[in-house]
């Protein structure tokens, strides 16, 4: 996890120098990391008071072809179907664990004889696993998705694990980290430097915590530390969950690939409840990317030019915080009266970011959510959260001659140790402070899109019509290459419980309940990329940061940037026959590539082809992502305008698996399209000690009429036993899972395609009753999917549109004499889709398949209102019902307004407003009833318990005995309340019936009793049309 290790024994000197050289060549392996936590139920009481267990999860990414097992006590194990031995291998010397019983291994002189490597089984271990003087080294970890052979090497079920030990003092006690990254600086200003010298003069030799005058320098602290009074830390066992091999040319890896991603769940740790301030736990190390990188066998400094730049523009370049520390900080603040869990962040380790034009901004998202549905705040990390310190590159020692030769080198983390050569004019170098990328501060996290980073990569506008190249252009721009970002995500408190006592005037804008980090890199490049038409003859094209051999999916690369479009005749080679990327040249004989042979590489997209695949939803509500994506791309220098940003949603019940497909397409002729998750959710059943992590199953490649399509199935299993007892399901009620489609040059991160998974308890029935006829036909509200529903004889017709809760809506159903009906919401006939249950809905369903009409066989054409039978003079064979609901409702054309907000202000079980309907031919016999008409109340006689009583507010219900035209529906819209009024009784008022329009029932709920026909005279006939 770190660079070279130094020792004080003279007998180690030669070995240490070799070790240091290899450490510098093989370091630089940290890529990405984030921490989150949740409090468990276990508690204890001791002298510290009440304490509660907290469990933390680390997600991290590292360089894949690193010398795993060589340095700082890091160890590894590789498992598969043919290698099931679960043993750790690697470097153990730093913990004093070398096996001196081995022949040739002597204490104080570790050699290859002191270490062991696993025995090769059926060719399982390649030559990349070797025993060296530094440990058993593995430079080619292997990983398979699931139990198959996803990497295609002939061995199934390969899994890789890495162990990172926490650093201790030489006497075995926990480290006490110095309060400042620069505590150990020694300056030549005449000050007394004895304290610094006493604290920090020996590498990792500081005594234990018993001596408060001693502390460990920041660059000597490695591992996971809980940040409480105990000083305890934790060894990290990272299980690899994903791998990107990346492209390679002549031993050099591409800049955006070649990494492994893993997860570690830490042993639960006790924290004091109601502490005065939050505890800060952190995972730290010192392996940020070097300024230049190359092959695994080439000393990275050799790639630097005489001016300190990279000799090879394709070399790995970290433009800020090169050779710096990383420090993933999370705060833990437990309260006895409040429950809280930290936010969760998901991110890809390296985001490719094409440089936007000078009058625009490059944009990409940091995706996060809070399991408690707390509001989130995003900000860039502080100096400490960025790692606190980095190596100096002061001109005072850039080209110092040392034991590594004359190559450019960095200075130590400290100002000086035993010499003054690293101090400029008696002052410590100031270039050791980490910084965030320039141009990223002003506009980031100001958009309606959560966590959106907006990055200005130009300092000046180029000349009109002139492309600004990477160097020596007419404008100033950031250098191409890697940039390090640290973003902190905080959940905002709603009460003063989380405000610090020293700041009593705090507001929610000042405090936070917890903070979590995400540390990642972005690769800024000059784009876009152009490639030769697929019909051209493949040849060596222009090398890029991602395709070092100049070939992209068997197509030669024309180059990067707008000027590359004109390289057709330079790079592309004509096909053998006319028409296959070939046309006749000026001589009328020779075939040459056409002028437009260089094709623009386009970004992948998420799509839903048919709404469902294998009866599972395909890419839920993808249009929401498309709308946000298009708005971000079109924003330029303006703010992103989206109206109200909303993630795609999918709902399921506790105890049931969450499954859906995600589909992406790249319309380019040549592409290397992949589809990955930024991080998969998981759950832990504390009682059953059972972990369940979601999976993204193996690739499916559907046939595409153009380009390439990929599809994967997302599956998140319910907790064991929860199918029969939902209380056992410990998955969060709200979880955000994000996906990116990636073609090496574009990653759909502007924003990511994220799906909000909502889990809820399964009710006796899914839908709530707005209106019911004879406990059969029903106008319903579905809170599961926020849609209106018309139900009839087992068929359910859902509105394609979703509607907000806590709002008034007008819903109306109109059915003609032939049983053909329409469902209106807020005056508009709705497109409908059919589903058996709400959770079966296809978010990508094509509404044209059903349109905005349905047919019913259950319509009660032979019934009239018993209370209004004297008003019914003829059989119309058609009816309409409408109402206002705070929530929603309407049918027959029923005009009903309701509120699906579950405010609990009105329960219709204690204030029934039901009516009965009698057969038309027996209308004069009041005692005979044909069917019930219910408003907001479920049917007690419904043995299947199909629907529930409505939990919102209903107002203004009307029934017509004829079909209403669309323009009439709009004219019947009731004035919806702007707020929920206090419940006050009013005298009867208003016209309840209208003979001329066919309105046979109208109730306003202004009085506990509905007004009778005698209370209102018949209205006059309307004027002729």
């Amino acid at each position: 996890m770190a660079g070279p290790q130094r020792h004080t024994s003279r007998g180690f000197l030669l070995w240490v120098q070799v070790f240091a050289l290899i450490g510098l060549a093989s370091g630089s392996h940290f890529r990405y990391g984030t921490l989150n936590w949740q409090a468990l139920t276990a508690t204890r009481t001791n002298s510290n008071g009440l304490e509660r267990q907290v469990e933390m999860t680390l997600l991290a990414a590292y360089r894949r072809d690193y010398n795993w097992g060589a340095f700082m006590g890091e160890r590894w194990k590789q498992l598969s179907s043919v290698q099931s031995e679960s043993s750790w291998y690697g470097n153990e010397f730093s913990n004093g664990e070398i096996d001196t019983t081995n022949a040739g291994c002597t204490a104080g002189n570790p050699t290859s004889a002191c270490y062991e490597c696993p025995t090769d089984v059926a060719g399982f271990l390649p030559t990349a696993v070797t025993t060296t003087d530094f440990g058993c080294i593995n430079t080619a970890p292997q990983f398979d998705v699931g139990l198959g052979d996803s990497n295609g090497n002939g061995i199934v079920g390969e899994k890789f694990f890495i162990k990172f030990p926490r650093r201790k003092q030489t006497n075995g006690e926990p480290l006490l980290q110095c309060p400042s990254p620069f505590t150990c600086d020694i300056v030549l200003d005449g000050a007394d430097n004895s304290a610094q010298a006493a604290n920090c003069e020996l590498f990792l030799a500081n005594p234990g915590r018993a001596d408060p005058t001693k502390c460990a320098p920041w660059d000597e602290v490695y591992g996971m530390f809980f940040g409480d009074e105990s000083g305890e830390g934790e060894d990290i066992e990272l299980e690899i969950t994903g791998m990107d091999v990346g492209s390679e040319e002549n031993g050099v890896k591409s800049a955006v690939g070649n990494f492994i991603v893993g997860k570690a769940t830490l042993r639960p740790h006790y924290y004091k409840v109601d502490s005065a301030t939050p505890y800060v736990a952190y995972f730290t190390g010192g392996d940020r990317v070097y300024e230049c990188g190359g092959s695994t066998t080439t000393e990275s400094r050799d790639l630097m030019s005489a001016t300190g730049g990279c000799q090879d523009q394709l070399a790995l370049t970290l433009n800020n915080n090169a050779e710096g520390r990383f420090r993933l900080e999370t705060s833990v603040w437990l309260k006895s009266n409040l429950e809280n869990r930290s936010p969760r962040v998901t991110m890809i380790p390296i985001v490719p970011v094409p440089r936007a034009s000078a009058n625009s901004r490059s944009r990409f998202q940091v995706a996060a959510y809070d399991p408690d549905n707390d509001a989130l705040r995003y900000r860039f990390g502080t100096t400490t959260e960025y790692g606190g310190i980095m190596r100096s590159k002061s001109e005072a020692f850039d080209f110092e001659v040392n034991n590594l030769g004359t190559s450019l080198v960095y200075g130590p983390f400290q100002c000086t140790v035993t010499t003054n050569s690293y101090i400029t004019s008696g002052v410590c170098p100031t270039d050791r402070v980490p910084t965030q990328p320039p141009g990223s501060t002003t506009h980031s996290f100001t958009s309606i899109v959560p966590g959106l980073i907006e990055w200005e990569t130009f300092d000046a506008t180029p000349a009109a019509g002139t492309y600004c190249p990477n160097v020596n252009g007419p404008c100033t721009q950031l250098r191409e290459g890697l940039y390090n970002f640290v973003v902190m995500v905080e959940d905002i408190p709603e009460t003063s419980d989380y405000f610090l006592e020293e700041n009593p005037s705090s507001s929610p804008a000042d405090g936070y309940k917890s903070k979590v980090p995400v540390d990642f890199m972005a690769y800024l490049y000059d784009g876009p990329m152009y490639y030769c038409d697929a019909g051209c003859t493949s040849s060596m094209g222009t090398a890029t940061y991602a395709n070092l051999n100049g070939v992209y999916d068997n197509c030669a690369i024309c180059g990067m940037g707008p000027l590359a479009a004109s390289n057709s005749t330079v790079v592309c080679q004509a096909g053998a026959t006319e028409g296959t990327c070939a046309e006749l040249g000026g001589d009328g004989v020779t075939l040459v590539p056409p002028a437009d042979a260089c094709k623009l590489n386009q970004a992948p997209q998420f799509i839903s082809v048919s709404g469902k695949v294998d009866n599972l939803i395909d890419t839920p509500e993808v249009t929401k992502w498309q709308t946000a994506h298009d708005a971000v791309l079109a924003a330029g220098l303006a703010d992103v305008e989206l109206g109200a940003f909303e993630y795609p949603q999918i709902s399921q019940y506790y105890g049931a698996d969450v499954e859906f497909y995600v589909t992406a397409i790249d319309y380019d002729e040549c592409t290397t399209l992949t589809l990955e998750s930024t991080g998969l959710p998981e759950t832990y059943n504390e009682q059953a000690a059972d972990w369940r992590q979601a999976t993204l199953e193996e690739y499916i490649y559907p046939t595409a009429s153009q380009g390439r399509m990929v599809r994967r199935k997302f599956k998140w299993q319910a907790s064991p036993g929860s199918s029969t007892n939902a209380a056992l399901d410990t998955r969060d009620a709200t979880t955000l899972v994000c996906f990116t489609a990636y073609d090496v040059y574009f990653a759909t991160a502007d924003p990511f395609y994220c799906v909000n998974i909502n889990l809820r308890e399964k009710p006796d029935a899914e839908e709530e009753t707005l209106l019911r006829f004879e406990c059969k036909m029903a106008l319903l509200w579905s809170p599961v999917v926020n849609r209106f529903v018309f139900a009839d004889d087992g068929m359910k017709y859902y509105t394609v549109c979703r509607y907000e809760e806590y709002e008034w809506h007008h819903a109306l159903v109109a059915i003609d004499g032939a049983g053909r009906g329409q469902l209106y919401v807020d005056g508009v006939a709705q497109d409908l889709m059919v589903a058996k249950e709400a959770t079966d809905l296809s978010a990508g369903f094509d509404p044209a398949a059903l349109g905005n009409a349905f047919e019913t066989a259950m319509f009660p054409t032979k019934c009239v209102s018993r209370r209004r039978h004297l008003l019914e003079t003829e059989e119309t064979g058609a009816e309409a019902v409408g109402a206002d609901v705070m929530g929603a409702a309407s049918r027959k054309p029923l005009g009903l307004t309701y509120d699906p907000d579950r405010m609990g202000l009105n329960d219709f079980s204690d204030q029934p407003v039901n009516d009965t309907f009698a057969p038309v031919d027996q209308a004069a016999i009041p005692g005979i009833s044909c069917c019930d008409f219910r408003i907001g109340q479920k049917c007690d006689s419904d043995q299947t318990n199909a629907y529930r009583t409505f939990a919102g507010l209903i107002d203004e219900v009307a029934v017509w005995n004829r079909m209403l035209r669309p323009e009439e529906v709009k004219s019947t819209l009731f004035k919806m309340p702007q707020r929920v009024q206090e419940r006050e009784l009013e005298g009867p008022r208003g016209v309840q019936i209208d003979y001329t329009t066919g309105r046979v029932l109208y109730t306003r709920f202004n009085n506990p009793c509905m007004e009778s026909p005698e209370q209102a005279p018949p209205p006059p006939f309307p004027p002729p049309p």
Side-chain angles (χ1 to χ4, degrees):
M1 228 173 49
Q5 180 174 354
R6 288 169 283 174
H7 302 270
T8 57
S9 171
R10 294 182 59 187
F12 283 6
L13 183 57
L14 179 60
W15 180 81
V16 170
Q17 291 177 349
V18 177
F19 189 96
L21 177 61
I22 296 180
L24 292 174
S26 302
S28 179
H29 63 310
F30 178 76
R31 297 292 186 266
Y32 150 83
T34 182
L35 272 173
N36 62 70
W37 60 266
Q38 63 177 347
L40 303 180
T41 58
T43 61
R44 71 183 184 187
T45 302
N46 55 23
S47 58
N48 199 32
L50 179 64
E51 295 183 334
R52 185 174 177 182
Q53 272 193 344
V54 169
E55 184 175 65
M56 296 188 182
T57 300
L58 167 71
L59 303 176
Y62 290 86
R63 172 176 165 178
R64 174 179 176 266
D65 65 345
Y66 178 67
N67 284 342
W68 290 110
F71 312 118
M72 304 306 288
E74 293 174 358
R75 311 197 69 196
W76 61 270
K77 64 181 175 183
Q78 179 81 68
L79 306 179
S80 76
S81 59
V82 297
Q83 181 76 24
S84 59
E85 181 184 358
S86 182
S87 298
W88 292 101
Y89 300 96
N91 169 266
E92 302 173 86
F93 176 73
S94 60
N95 290 337
E97 299 171 357
I98 62 173
D99 190 356
T100 56
T101 62
N102 291 348
C105 179
T106 59
N109 188 26
T111 64
S112 59
C114 298
Y115 307 101
E116 295 180 357
C117 272
T119 304
D120 187 17
V121 178
F124 171 63
L125 294 175
T127 55
V129 176
T130 57
T131 304
T132 71
D133 289 351
F134 315 110
C136 176
I137 295 176
N138 187 343
T139 59
Q142 301 297 319
F143 171 77
D144 285 319
V145 177
L147 300 177
D149 181 24
S150 61
N151 61 14
N153 66 353
I155 301 174
V156 301
E158 292 173 297
K159 306 299 177 186
F160 192 71
F161 302 82
I162 307 168
K163 179 184 286 189
F164 299 101
R166 65 190 183 281
R167 180 57 51 213
K168 298 180 180 180
Q169 300 291 358
T170 51
N171 60 4
E173 294 187 31
L175 284 175
L176 178 62
Q177 184 168 344
C178 291
S180 161
F182 309 105
T183 298
C184 300
D185 280 355
I186 299 176
V187 295
L188 301 181
D189 59 357
D192 181 3
N193 294 309
S194 58
Q196 291 92 324
N199 284 343
C200 311
E201 63 180 354
L202 295 179
F203 181 78
L204 291 177
N206 301 286
R209 300 170 60 85
D211 186 350
T213 65
K214 307 293 185 180
C215 63
W218 279 48
D219 65 297
E220 298 182 7
V221 180
Y222 295 86
M224 180 71 209
F225 299 90
F226 292 119
D228 65 345
E229 296 86 352
S230 69
E232 291 183 359
E234 176 78 1
D235 290 351
I236 297 294
E237 295 186 9
L238 197 73
E239 178 180 359
I240 301 307
T241 58
M243 185 174 295
D244 186 320
V245 176
S247 65
E248 181 177 354
E249 183 73 9
N250 298 325
V252 178
K253 295 286 187 180
S254 65
V256 295
N258 185 35
F259 58 79
I260 51 180
V261 183
K263 175 185 73 71
T265 301
L266 280 62
R267 170 180 53 85
H269 184 76
Y270 281 97
Y271 283 97
K272 177 180 172 59
V273 178
D274 293 327
S275 59
T277 58
Y279 295 100
V280 177
Y282 56 95
F283 178 61
T284 186
D287 295 315
R288 291 212 186 276
V289 177
Y290 292 151
E291 182 180 14
C292 289
S295 70
T296 58
T297 59
T298 303
E299 184 12 63
S300 64
R301 286 4 178 241
D302 292 340
L303 295 174
M304 290 185 181
S305 67
T307 59
C310 294
Q311 293 180 359
D312 185 348
Q313 64 174 356
L314 300 177
L316 199 59
T317 304
L318 184 57
N319 289 293
N320 66 316
N321 307 335
E323 298 212 22
R325 305 279 302 172
F326 69 85
R327 182 181 167 99
L328 305 178
E329 283 193 6
T330 183
S331 64
V332 181
W333 206 355
L334 303 180
K335 299 292 182 177
S336 57
N337 61 331
L338 295 170
E339 288 291 330
N340 188 51
R341 292 169 292 180
S342 76
R344 312 282 194 264
V345 186
T346 59
M347 195 66 189
I348 55 178
I350 304 175
V351 184
V353 180
R355 189 191 307 278
S357 60
N359 61 348
S360 185
R361 296 194 283 267
S362 297
R363 294 177 170 94
F364 58 92
Q365 184 189 29
V366 173
Y369 72 97
D370 189 275
D372 303 315
N373 283 325
D374 292 330
L376 296 181
R377 176 172 52 229
Y378 300 78
R379 63 173 175 82
F380 289 114
T382 63
T383 297
T384 297
E385 292 161 342
Y386 257 98
I389 191 170
M390 50 190 286
R391 291 181 185 271
S392 176
K393 193 186 170 187
S394 169
E395 292 181 357
F397 56 88
D398 266 1
F399 300 95
E400 282 287 325
V401 177
N402 52 64
N403 59 4
L404 296 180
T406 58
S407 303
L408 175 66
V409 296
Y410 284 81
F413 287 100
Q414 282 78 44
C415 178
T416 184
V417 278
T418 57
T419 71
N420 298 330
S421 58
Y422 300 109
I423 300 179
T424 305
S425 301
V427 178
C428 292
T430 60
D431 62 347
R432 297 171 298 153
V433 179
T435 59
Q436 68 189 58
S440 60
T441 304
T442 304
H443 300 283
S444 293
F445 313 133
T446 61
S447 165
I448 192 172
V449 180
L452 190 69
I453 291 178
E454 303 190 53
W455 193 8
E456 294 178 300
T457 59
F458 282 85
D459 292 333
T461 303
T466 303
Y467 169 64
C468 186
N470 190 39
V471 292
N472 300 324
C475 58
T476 303
Q477 62 179 20
L478 299 184
R479 189 168 71 169
E480 181 174 328
L482 289 169
Y483 288 84
N484 169 225
F485 285 87
V486 174
V487 174
M488 306 301 295
V489 182
E490 301 168 342
D491 48 351
I492 303 174
E494 297 179 353
T495 68
S496 60
D497 294 82
Y498 290 96
F499 300 160
L500 296 177
E501 294 179 0
E502 59 266 28
N503 188 14
S505 61
S506 299
S507 69
D510 303 316
Y512 55 86
K513 299 165 72 174
S514 63
K515 67 175 182 179
V516 295
V518 60
D519 189 320
F520 64 98
M521 292 189 290
Y523 191 92
L524 180 67
Y525 69 93
D526 290 304
M529 184 269 284
Y530 287 80
Y531 62 90
C532 294
D533 186 288
C536 298
T537 301
S538 179
S539 64
M540 181 64 70
T542 304
T544 68
Y545 72 91
N547 296 104
L548 305 180
N549 60 0
V551 177
Y552 180 62
D553 189 32
N554 296 321
C555 290
I557 296 176
C558 296
M560 303 286 286
L563 298 181
S566 60
N567 286 348
S568 296
T569 58
V570 178
V571 179
C572 305
Q573 295 183 2
T577 58
E578 190 173 357
T580 58
C581 186
E583 61 184 20
L584 291 176
D587 58 6
V589 177
T590 306
L591 292 176
V592 298
D596 62 351
C598 287
K599 304 297 183 182
L600 172 65
N601 179 53
Q602 304 175 82
Q605 300 181 31
F606 288 97
I607 62 169
S608 180
V609 178
S610 58
K612 279 192 173 183
V613 176
D614 298 334
N615 207 34
L616 292 178
I617 296 176
D618 180 30
T619 324
E621 297 187 329
V622 67
T623 54
K624 290 184 178 180
W625 169 82
Q626 190 67 56
T627 298
H629 174 70
D630 293 345
V632 169
L633 289 182
L637 284 175
D639 294 331
V640 178
E641 297 292 340
L642 290 177
F645 179 84
E646 183 183 1
Y647 286 119
Q649 308 283 321
I650 192 168
S651 299
Q652 185 54 280
Y653 297 124
Y654 286 112
D657 296 344
V658 177
E659 294 181 283
F660 58 87
Y661 282 97
V662 181
T663 303
I665 191 169
D666 192 328
Y667 292 106
D668 292 322
E669 295 177 343
C670 296
T671 182
T672 57
L673 180 62
T674 59
L675 194 163
E676 296 291 342
S677 168
T678 61
L680 294 170
E682 59 187 21
T683 187
Y684 177 63
N685 187 317
E686 190 174 352
Q687 293 180 341
D690 178 79
W691 275 104
R692 290 292 171 100
Q693 184 173 35
T695 59
L696 198 57
E697 297 185 358
E698 294 190 24
Y699 279 87
I700 301 172
Y701 298 95
T703 301
S705 59
Q706 179 183 350
R708 182 174 302 169
M709 188 184 304
V710 297
R711 176 177 295 145
R712 301 182 75 176
K713 184 166 105 173
F714 171 88
K715 183 174 183 178
W716 193 11
Q717 289 183 307
S719 302
S722 61
S723 59
T724 56
N725 182 2
L728 297 177
D729 196 338
T730 56
R731 292 176 296 178
D732 292 333
T734 300
T735 301
L736 192 72
V737 57
C738 299
F739 305 90
T740 182
Y742 178 55
D743 72 352
V744 181
Y745 297 93
F746 288 105
T748 51
D750 53 354
F752 289 110
Y753 170 65
C754 300
V755 178
N756 222 349
I757 301 173
N758 301 301
L759 297 179
R760 62 184 70 197
E761 294 182 6
K762 186 172 184 178
D764 295 333
E766 291 180 336
E767 287 82 18
E768 297 176 354
T769 302
L770 300 176
L771 298 171
R772 289 295 300 276
F773 281 87
E774 204 180 11
C775 293
K776 293 181 181 178
M777 283 195 307
L779 176 64
L780 309 166
W781 167 254
S782 175
V784 176
V785 290
N786 285 29
R787 289 180 168 94
F788 290 98
V789 191
F790 175 75
D792 173 25
D793 196 25
M795 297 294 291
K796 292 182 182 178
Y797 302 94
Y798 292 80
T799 59
V800 171
C801 291
R802 299 165 62 102
Y803 295 89
E804 291 294 326
E805 297 184 325
Y806 295 92
E807 290 183 1
W808 286 94
H809 295 286
H810 179 279
L812 185 145
V813 174
I815 306 175
D816 63 20
R820 179 180 173 83
Q822 289 183 300
L823 196 166
Y824 292 82
V825 178
D826 299 336
V828 179
Q830 296 297 302
D831 289 326
L832 304 171
M833 51 189 175
V834 180
K836 184 178 180 181
E837 302 291 348
T839 50
D840 294 334
L841 283 181
S842 168
F845 189 88
D846 182 3
L850 183 61
N852 61 7
F854 60 85
E855 293 185 0
T856 174
M858 298 295 293
F859 185 70
T861 59
K862 301 300 182 182
C863 293
V864 296
S865 169
R866 179 169 175 251
R867 301 182 86 173
R868 305 290 186 257
H869 69 277
L870 294 177
L871 304 176
E872 185 68 71
T873 58
E874 62 178 342
E875 179 182 346
T876 62
E879 294 185 85
V881 190
D884 284 332
V885 286
M886 190 170 179
S890 234
R891 173 199 173 312
K892 212 191 152 197
L894 161 76
L896 172 73
T897 310
Y898 89 101
D899 179 7
D901 56 35
R902 333 191 79 63
M903 297 176 67
L905 297 181
N906 202 349
D907 184 350
F908 293 96
S909 62
D910 61 1
Q911 189 179 342
V913 289
N914 301 323
D915 194 6
T916 58
F917 282 68
V920 171
D921 56 1
Q922 300 179 13
I925 308 176
I928 297 179
S929 177
C930 161
C931 55
D932 288 335
F933 172 47
R934 292 172 174 259
I935 301 175
Q937 187 180 53
K938 71 176 183 177
C939 293
D940 297 332
S941 60
D942 191 349
Q943 295 181 355
T944 62
N945 200 24
Y947 312 122
R948 291 180 289 165
T949 293
F950 179 58
L953 301 177
I954 296 180
D955 196 8
E956 309 280 3
V957 177
V959 179
W960 288 261
N961 63 7
R962 67 179 181 85
M963 186 72 173
L964 296 184
R965 299 185 303 274
E967 58 271 21
E968 291 181 296
V969 173
K970 291 184 179 180
S971 69
T972 65
L973 290 178
F974 306 109
K975 184 177 181 181
M976 301 179 187
Q978 299 300 309
R979 61 186 176 87
V980 178
Q981 303 286 345
E982 295 182 5
R983 298 182 63 180
E984 298 180 355
L985 297 181
E986 298 180 10
R989 61 189 174 90
V991 177
Q992 301 304 295
I993 59 175
D994 189 336
Y995 301 105
T996 59
T997 62
R999 188 174 66 194
V1000 296
L1001 174 66
Y1002 177 26
T1003 181
R1004 304 181 64 184
F1005 300 108
N1006 295 322
N1007 189 284
C1009 298
M1010 290 190 300
E1011 302 161 40
S1012 65
E1014 292 77 11
Q1015 291 176 306
F1021 286 96

